[in-house]
Amino acid sequence: MKKAVIALAAATALAAGAAQAFADPVKVGMITTLSGGGASLGIDVRDGFELALKQSGRDDIELIIEDDARKPDLAVQLSDKLIQSDKVDVMTGIIWSNLAMAVIPGAVAQDKIYLSPNAGPSALAGAGCNENYFNVAWQNDNLHEAMGAHASSAGYEKAFILAPNYPAGQDALTGFKRFFKGEIANELYTKLGQTDYAAEIAEIRASGADSVFFFLPGGMGIAFMKQYAGAGVDVPLLGPAFSFDQAILQAVGDAALGVKNTSQWSKDLDNETNKAFVESFQAEYDRLPSLYASQGFDTANLLISAMDAASISDKDAFRAALKAANFKSTRGDFKFGPNNHPIQDIYVREVIKEGDVFTNKLVGVALEDHADAYAADCKM
């Protein structure tokens, strides 16, 4: 398999090298979270993106990386620097939706291309869509919609739901409720960055719910899962992949085993691009990739595919090349909807243990060829 990975990288590099003669260099500004709470998400996006660049063999992409430390004001300052001083052509990297809302509208208004490898707030998918904004991950509601559908098909009738009080958390609970056919026992918004969930767990215990849906990415999810297991509550947990990514699973351990979660990607998706990506990521970074790493990898390869087809100096042609999404995705088939957000399958995964490593395996499909609920409001 390692030979196949090397051969794939070499072939990609040769193809890219042939195309470089016809393309202008592109300067990319990446603002992502590399320190503080949630840093593992940004690190994975960065590493996946850089791996794709390395495998491409290109020398006409300059990547400038900045750490937003999950602070909106800092993200805005960094965006101004990248646009005004560094003169970047393309921006990417933001993890958190509140930072995305602070940065992206201003960036695209200045005619910069923005490729989102993660955050997908509803405000940018509907009436606030823009021809310069492409989301390569999902619209925020999508994975939660899929879990709402799965919870109903699994027979759950009364769900307790909770998420942090910021745009992605609000989209999460909206998405779950859109597809869940049962009763909502209680709906709670927690503080972004919260680490003590004793009060929320007490409410869950008293609620009479037959399931708990939670969206708590990064350190929030680790804290909640550990406290939930320690409290001995026997109400089944459900969530999106963000609550069960590789970093969270290793920190939580056995308490996560058997929990179902929804994702547009999994390390065991059966396509050659994904198999090569998983093996090469492990070889490069000595850890399993997360969905965030796969999204960073796909984002870089989307950019490369557009550079192979058009010059960044011809914005209309470059946007058309991005829209065509002529690249091999770790997800298999990839296409954009009319609002530049993916239309894609969303899967159900189960937390398992492989040797000493906690990870996920595919167990089914929750939604096929799923588009977001806001595309009709986009007037591009």
Side-chain angles (χ1 to χ4, degrees), residues 37 49 60 86 106 119 122 125 136 143 185 211 227 245 283 308 323 336 347 353 364 374:
F49 195 97
D60 58 350
D86 295 313
S122 55
V136 195
L143 271 58
S211 56
Q227 291 165 37
D245 70 37
D308 287 345
K323 187 81 169 185
F336 284 116
Y347 305 93
K353 192 172 184 181
Y374 306 97

Side-chain angles (χ1 to χ4, degrees), residues 97 118-122 138-144 167-169 171-172 242 341:
S97 288
N118 197 67
S122 55
W138 22 256
Q139 190 279 315
N140 280 351
D141 299 28
N142 291 165
L143 271 58
H144 316 291
D171 288 346
F242 322 121
H341 285 65

